[in-house]
Amino acid sequence: MDMNAKPRDGQAKAVFTGASQPRGRTLCARMLFAPTVLVWGVLAVVGGLVSSPADAAPVGGNTIVITPVPDAHFFLQLQGDVTVPKGTRVVDADLFDVDADQVGQWRKAGIYPICYMSAGSYEDWRTDASQYPKSVLGKDYEGWAGEKWLDIRQIFRLAPIIKARLDLCRAKGFLGVDPDNIDGYLTDTGFKITRDDALRFVRWMAIEAHKRGLTIGQKNAPDMVRDLAGQLDFAVTESPVTYDHGAYFAPYVAQHKPVFAIEYLTAKADIEGFCRQAREMGFQGINAAPKLDGKNVYCNK
């Protein structure tokens, strides 16, 4: 729903690819809590990332290749056949609905692909739906048939599913991940989830994403920005003008990390007002159709 490493010798390396690191971006430079050194585009991470050295090993070896997210024209489509318009630099598309061939075509065209997945909710139509144990399934997600909130406190039960999704994201050729519904602490999920629980869950996902060479974004949850902006790589915020929370995402802009802002407005004057504010705040803004079918109005030409 979108309307809402034991590295060798104790070190892991993250290598940035692309023409240059945009505007001094610290992209993944923290790798969550580890001291870092950035030398000529190679990020050496000193010390363990998590308590278990085995869990801290980068997936597939001791070199992590991370491609920075461009702060550029953003396109979002989660329904139907995805056709990106000319000039698109970043596309956010469904992890399961887009195949590796399509992702490969985007990358060949210079487009940065991000895989969308719902991390904090269960969707009964997904191919991995049967893998969720009943103990993690909470209340129905209001307004979205077949969707339920998850008990994100049970990371050990969710880990195999989330890891498999991140593996699929990487295998298909995506370069980043957009994990939705991380803000269950703000609603009645059927569980006593706290903000600290949500932070713990997102930080764990960030470790797993970075180990796979994927960037990871913050989806909504503006009150967690101050805790996550230094650790995540970009942000996607929905309805920042409607709910007046755009300013919360300023730390991302200050760290030269892109903020992709989405509104679902209908009146032309409202769309123009949103786009003006998005540009003033340094966001890449789009006004999207509620169905997220690609019928977008772009703020940044």
Side-chain angles (χ1 to χ4, degrees):
M1 181 285 210
D2 201 274
M3 287 288 290
N4 189 50
K6 181 178 177 182
R8 195 172 191 175
D9 298 326
Q11 287 190 331
K13 292 182 181 179
V15 181
F16 291 98
T17 64
S20 63
Q21 189 180 356
R23 298 186 298 173
R25 185 174 302 162
T26 58
L27 195 69
C28 303
R30 308 220 173 171
M31 295 292 288
L32 298 179
F33 319 122
T36 62
V37 180
L38 179 62
V39 181
W40 294 103
V42 177
L43 184 65
V45 182
V46 184
L49 297 179
V50 291
S51 57
S52 168
D55 289 342
V59 175
N62 63 355
T63 297
I64 309 168
V65 179
I66 298 175
T67 304
V69 188
D71 189 353
H73 197 172
F74 171 73
F75 179 80
L76 171 73
Q77 185 174 343
L78 302 180
Q79 301 287 342
D81 294 331
V82 183
T83 303
V84 300
K86 184 178 180 179
T88 297
R89 290 288 311 283
V90 182
V91 61
D92 193 342
D94 191 273
L95 167 62
F96 294 98
D97 294 345
V98 176
D99 60 29
D101 289 342
Q102 178 67 80
V103 177
Q105 291 175 28
W106 288 335
R107 291 184 60 172
K108 187 176 181 180
I111 298 171
Y112 190 103
I114 295 172
C115 70
Y116 166 90
M117 70 174 187
S118 185
S121 74
Y122 160 88
E123 300 162 314
D124 67 3
W125 62 92
R126 299 302 189 183
T127 56
D128 59 359
S130 64
Q131 298 178 29
Y132 286 90
K134 290 183 179 180
S135 66
V136 303
L137 303 183
K139 290 189 174 182
D140 290 345
Y141 201 128
E142 186 177 355
W144 296 86
E147 190 163 0
K148 295 179 180 292
W149 288 99
L150 291 173
D151 186 357
I152 60 171
R153 299 172 302 176
Q154 299 188 55
I155 293 177
F156 68 101
R157 288 196 171 97
L158 294 174
I161 302 167
I162 298 295
K163 288 180 179 181
R165 288 186 171 192
L166 293 174
D167 288 341
L168 179 62
C169 185
R170 182 182 65 165
K172 285 189 174 184
F174 286 101
L175 297 173
V177 57
D178 171 18
D180 202 3
N181 298 311
I182 62 173
D183 54 358
Y185 62 95
L186 295 174
T187 191
D188 182 8
T189 63
F191 305 108
K192 295 181 179 180
I193 296 173
T194 67
R195 181 176 176 278
D196 284 342
D197 293 327
L199 286 171
R200 189 176 302 110
F201 180 59
V202 175
R203 286 167 172 159
W204 170 79
M205 280 196 296
I207 290 173
E208 294 299 327
H210 289 158
K211 286 195 295 187
R212 289 162 174 79
L214 297 169
T215 58
I216 184 170
Q218 175 177 343
K219 186 65 162 284
N220 297 321
D223 67 313
M224 292 204 294
V225 169
R226 67 180 183 273
D227 294 292
L228 295 176
Q231 300 165 7
L232 305 189
D233 312 307
F234 63 94
V236 179
T237 174
E238 296 174 289
S239 305
V241 173
T242 297
Y243 297 111
D244 194 27
H245 62 239
Y248 284 83
F249 289 85
Y252 280 97
V253 177
Q255 295 180 49
H256 309 297
K257 301 178 180 181
V259 175
F260 303 115
I262 308 166
E263 278 285 356
Y264 305 97
L265 305 169
T266 55
K268 183 178 180 180
D270 292 339
I271 295 172
E272 291 175 346
F274 156 60
C275 286
R276 182 174 59 254
Q277 291 188 48
R279 290 191 293 267
E280 289 173 352
M281 289 186 285
F283 298 169
Q284 295 289 332
I286 64 170
N287 191 76
K291 291 183 178 180
L292 298 172
D293 55 5
K295 298 177 181 177
N296 304 326
V297 175
Y298 302 94
C299 297
N300 305 67
K301 304 301 182 180

